[in-house]
C-alpha cells in the first residue's frame, strides 16, 4: 500500500503534462468505477449507500472530487516529490479537527508538541527548499490536505455502517459523472502520448480500484489503527520516484522537513486518545492522491 499510494504523485505529474486536471480526474474515476461496479452490484452493496446520498456527496467532495482536481492542478507547477511531502501533513490536520470536535484528552502536552514539530517541518519544506515551490500551488495542496483530513471524519460519522465497497464505488461513480461534462467539453488537442495513457490507466486500475480492494484486506488483517502507517511512508516513496524518474532535486531541507512532519504526526496522534481517534475515523479512504 505504501508503494501503490506513493506512486500517484509521479503518474499525476506525467499525465498533467498533456491532460487537463478535469480530464485526468474523469478518466481515473471512470476506470475505477468500471472495475469496481460489477463487484459492488453483485454483492448488493450499492442500494444502501445510494439511500444515504447526502453524506455520500459530502464525502465525495471532500475526499475525491475537490482534492484530486486540485492536486493535479498543483502538480503542474510543483515537483511531485514536494507535493507528496506536503500531503504528509494530513495526520496533523486530522489531529486539529479531532481537537476542534471536542475529542477527550486530545490536547495533551505530547500531542501539542507533535503538532508544533509537524508544523515546523511543513514550514521547512516550503520556506527553505523552495525550488519549484510556487506559493499558490502550495496553498492549493493545503486545501487538498484539509479535504483528505475531513473525508474520513465525514465517513466515520455518517457512512461507517455501510459496505465499504459500495461507498467507494458510489463515490468514484459520482465523481466521474460530475467531471464528465468538464472533461468532454475540453478534450486534449492531440492524442496523448503512450506514457500519459499508461499513467492514466495505472492510476485508475492500480492506484484506485486495486488500491481500495487491497486496503480493505489490510484493514481486515491488521485493523484500522495500524493501517495508518502507510500515511507516514508513502510520501517517502513519492520522493524517491520523483528523484529517480523525473530527476527532481531533493534538498537537505526536504529530508529534515519530512522527518519533522513524520515525528510530529506520530506524537500528535499518539496516546490512548490518538489510538481511539484512529479507530473511529480511519476508514478506507484515499489519504494520498
Amino acid at each position: 500500500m505504501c508503494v501503490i499510494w506513493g506512486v500517484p504523485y509521479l503518474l499525476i505529474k506525467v499525465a498533467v503534462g498533456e491532460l487537463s486536471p478535469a480530464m485526468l480526474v474523469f478518466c481515473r474515476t471512470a476506470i475505477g468505477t468500471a472495475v469496481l461496479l460489477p463487484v459492488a452490484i453483485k454483492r448488493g452493496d450499492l442500494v444502501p449507500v445510494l439511500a444515504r446520498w447526502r453524506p455520500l456527496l459530502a464525502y465525495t467532495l471532500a475526499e475525491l472530487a475537490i482534492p484530486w482536481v486540485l492536486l493535479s492542478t498543483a502538480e503542474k507547477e510543483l515537483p511531485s516529490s514536494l507535493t507528496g511531502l506536503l500531503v504528509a501533513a494530513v495526520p496533523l490536520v486530522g489531529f486539529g479537527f479531532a481537537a476542534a470536535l471536542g475529542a477527550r484528552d486530545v490536547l495533551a502536552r505530547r500531542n501539542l508538541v507533535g503538532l508544533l514539530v509537524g508544523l515546523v517541518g511543513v514550514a521547512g519544506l516550503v520556506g527553505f527548499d523552495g525550488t519549484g515551490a510556487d506559493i499558490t500551488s502550495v496553498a492549493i495542496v493545503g486545501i487538498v490536505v484539509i479535504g483528505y483530513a475531513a473525508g474520513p471524519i465525514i465517513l466515520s460519522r455518517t457512512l461507517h455502517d455501510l459496505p465499504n465497497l459500495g461507498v467507494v464505488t458510489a463515490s468514484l461513480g459520482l465523481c466521474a459523472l460530475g467531471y464528465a461534462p468538464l472533461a468532454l467539453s475540453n478534450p486534449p488537442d492531440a492524442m496523448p502520448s503512450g506514457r500519459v495513457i499508461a499513467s492514466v490507466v495505472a492510476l485508475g486500475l492500480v492506484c484506485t480500484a486495486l488500491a481500495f480492494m487491497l486496503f480493505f484486506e489490510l484493514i481486515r488483517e491488521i485493523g484500522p489503527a495500524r493501517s495508518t502507517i502507510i500515511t507516514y511512508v508513502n510520501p517517502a516513496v513519492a520522493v524517491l520516484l520523483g528523484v529517480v524518474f523525473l530527476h527532481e532535486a531533493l534538498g537537505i531541507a526536504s529530508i529534515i522537513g519530512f522527518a519533522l512532519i513524520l515525528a510530529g504526526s506520530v506524537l500528535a496522534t499518539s496516546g490512548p486518545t490518538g489510538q481511539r481517534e484512529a479507530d473511529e475515523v480511519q476508514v478506507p479512504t484515499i489519504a494520498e492522491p
Side-chain angles (χ1 to χ4, degrees):
M1 286 308 310
C2 294
V3 173
I4 289 178
W5 275 342
V7 166
Y9 300 97
L10 169 66
L11 299 180
I12 291 171
K13 185 69 176 179
V14 172
V16 294
E18 300 178 27
L19 299 178
S20 68
M23 176 64 76
L24 176 57
V25 174
F26 167 70
C27 291
R28 177 181 181 180
T29 52
I31 293 172
T33 303
V35 173
L36 297 179
L37 186 60
V39 182
I41 292 176
K42 184 177 180 180
R43 294 184 179 180
D45 288 350
L46 284 178
V47 175
V49 173
L50 295 178
R52 213 174 297 175
W53 64 271
R54 288 184 178 86
L56 175 68
L57 179 60
Y59 166 74
T60 301
L61 289 172
E63 189 71 23
L64 279 72
I66 295 175
W68 282 6
V69 74
L70 292 182
L71 198 64
S72 301
T73 301
E75 285 208 48
K76 283 182 170 292
E77 303 295 336
L78 293 180
S80 65
S81 54
L82 178 59
T83 306
L85 291 177
L86 290 172
V87 173
V90 167
L92 298 175
V93 178
F95 165 83
F97 284 160
L101 292 172
R104 297 177 182 177
D105 302 326
V106 75
L107 293 178
R109 181 178 299 178
R110 176 171 53 180
N111 302 133
L112 286 174
V113 170
L115 180 61
L116 293 175
V117 169
L119 292 176
V120 170
V122 173
L125 282 176
V126 177
F128 299 104
D129 198 11
T131 303
D134 176 72
I135 191 62
T136 301
S137 299
V138 169
I140 289 174
V141 176
I143 299 174
V144 172
V145 169
I146 293 173
Y148 280 163
I153 296 176
I154 296 172
L155 194 53
S156 67
R157 287 174 170 247
T158 62
L159 303 169
H160 63 91
D161 57 327
L162 298 177
N164 292 329
L165 180 60
V167 172
V168 172
T169 304
S171 294
L172 289 173
L174 281 175
C175 199
L177 289 174
Y179 277 103
L182 293 174
L184 298 178
S185 65
N186 185 29
D189 296 330
M191 183 68 180
S193 63
R195 74 174 197 158
V196 168
I197 294 175
S199 296
V200 173
V201 172
L203 278 169
L205 291 180
V206 179
C207 302
T208 303
L210 176 62
F212 275 120
M213 299 299 288
L214 290 178
F215 195 42
F216 297 158
E217 293 303 318
L218 177 67
I219 289 176
R220 292 191 186 98
E221 182 71 21
I222 67 174
R226 292 176 64 194
S227 68
T228 59
I229 293 172
I230 66 172
T231 303
Y232 304 136
V233 182
N234 59 32
V237 176
V239 170
L240 178 63
L241 294 175
V243 171
V244 173
F245 292 101
L246 299 179
H247 308 291
E248 295 175 348
L250 179 63
I252 187 64
S254 289
I255 298 174
I256 296 174
F258 175 64
L260 290 174
I261 291 175
L262 176 60
S265 296
V266 172
L267 287 172
T269 58
S270 64
T273 299
Q275 181 73 15
R276 182 169 61 252
E277 288 297 318
D279 288 335
E280 290 176 355
V281 304
Q282 177 58 37
V283 285
T285 178
I286 298 186
E288 22 316 13

